[in-house]
């Protein structure tokens, strides 16, 4: 299997994530530092309204919001190297471990895709600038999601190997051959 860092670099290359995106993301960091907390509050309210996710966050919403604020800060910090990859991979592993249904990670990212555009429209006004900045936000959110999803898939196969005693190669062949 391809090494994580090769996959990460291939993905960044595929979506043309480059210096201009880094500059766009750093430029909107202050906006998200000021308004990101409001977005986080809103999607935790949504997660609290879904029985399968509410049970996972009950009693620790404030701590999770802090963790999430840190994650959001990193989105705009301008450093998208190996440490970034590892932190996103770990998010996937942790969520498999606690049993977060993966579709809700997707749903949170979907919420942030839309809400980040409204935030930029409200705060920046200039539609050309909004489009430029938002394109980079979409890229970094998708990069995070791609890594988290890869980690989810890898961790599920690992768990299946441990549980069944089957080798990873055999499990992968079973998946391939159907
Ligand atoms: C974009 C989506 C999400 C991001 C970026 C995110 C981010 C994070 C991060 C950074 C952590 C800390 C990981 C660590 O310990 O290193 C975490 C933990 C956690 N997240 Fe999420 N999360 C997301 C979606 C969700 C959803 C949808 C749920 C649904 C319940 C959830 C529930 C949890 C829980 C319960 C933990 C604590 C795990 C533990 O016991 O250590 N997260 N999340």
């Amino acid at each position: 299997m391809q090494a994580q860092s090769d996959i990460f670099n291939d993905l960044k290359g595929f979506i043309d994530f480059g210096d201009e995106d880094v500059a766009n993301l750093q430029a909107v960091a202050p906006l998200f530092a000021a308004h990101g907390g409001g977005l986080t509050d809103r999607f935790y309210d949504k997660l609290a309204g879904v029985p399968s996710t509410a049970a996972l966050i009950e009693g620790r919403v404030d701590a999770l919001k802090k963790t999430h604020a840190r994650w959001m800060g990193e989105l705009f910090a301008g450093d998208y190297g190996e440490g970034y990859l590892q932190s996103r991979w770990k998010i996937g592993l942790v969520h498999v471990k606690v049993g977060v249904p993966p579709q809700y990670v997707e749903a949170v990212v979907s919420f942030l895709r839309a809400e980040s555009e409204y935030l930029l429209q409200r705060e920046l006004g200039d539609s050309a600038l909004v489009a430029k900045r938002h394109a980079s936000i979409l890229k970094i959110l998708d990069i995070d999601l791609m890594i988290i999803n890869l980690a989810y898939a890898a961790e599920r196969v690992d768990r299946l190997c441990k549980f069944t005693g089957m080798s990873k190669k055999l499990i992968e062949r079973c998946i391939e051959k159907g």
Side-chain angles (χ1 to χ4, degrees):
M1 199 190 132
Q2 216 181 345
Q4 284 172 13
S5 53
D6 292 340
I7 297 175
F8 184 46
N9 289 329
D10 285 354
L11 290 174
K12 284 194 287 190
F14 192 95
I15 62 170
D16 293 322
F17 182 84
D19 293 345
E20 205 184 323
D21 296 300
V22 175
N24 282 331
L25 292 169
Q26 287 181 308
V28 296
L31 278 185
F32 283 84
H35 302 283
L39 297 180
T40 302
D41 288 347
R42 284 174 54 209
F43 75 70
Y44 270 98
D45 285 349
K46 285 175 177 288
L47 293 174
V50 177
S52 63
T53 52
L56 296 169
I57 62 174
E58 198 186 347
R60 51 176 170 167
V61 170
D62 287 343
L64 287 172
K65 281 182 181 174
K66 282 192 192 123
T67 305
H68 203 270
R70 247 197 330 274
W71 166 77
M72 200 181 273
E74 288 164 10
L75 287 179
F76 305 108
D79 183 355
Y80 309 101
E82 184 64 25
Y84 191 87
L85 162 66
Q86 290 309 324
S87 72
R88 274 44 192 164
W89 193 273
K90 188 172 169 228
I91 292 173
L93 301 186
V94 167
H95 287 80
V96 174
K97 194 169 158 210
V98 292
V100 173
Q103 68 271 28
Y104 286 104
V105 178
E106 302 264 358
V108 167
V109 172
S110 173
F111 172 85
L112 291 174
R113 283 193 195 102
E115 291 299 324
S116 59
E117 187 171 13
Y118 304 143
L119 174 61
L120 296 191
Q121 281 165 353
R122 271 199 315 275
E123 298 296 320
L124 300 179
D126 174 347
S127 58
L129 188 61
V130 169
K132 196 169 104 149
R133 305 278 199 244
H134 191 240
S136 299
I137 295 174
L138 292 181
K139 286 187 193 179
I140 198 64
L141 285 173
D142 285 334
I143 284 173
D144 274 42
L145 194 53
M146 287 186 263
I147 300 169
I148 291 169
N149 282 341
L150 283 169
Y152 250 93
E155 180 63 8
R156 285 178 172 221
V157 169
D158 279 354
R159 283 168 176 253
L160 207 49
C161 290
K162 277 188 203 121
F163 186 75
T164 61
M166 287 162 75
S167 71
K168 199 169 190 168
K169 209 168 162 188
L170 186 54
I171 297 268
E172 297 286 6
R173 278 200 64 196
C174 292
I175 294 170
E176 211 176 289
K177 302 285 173 202

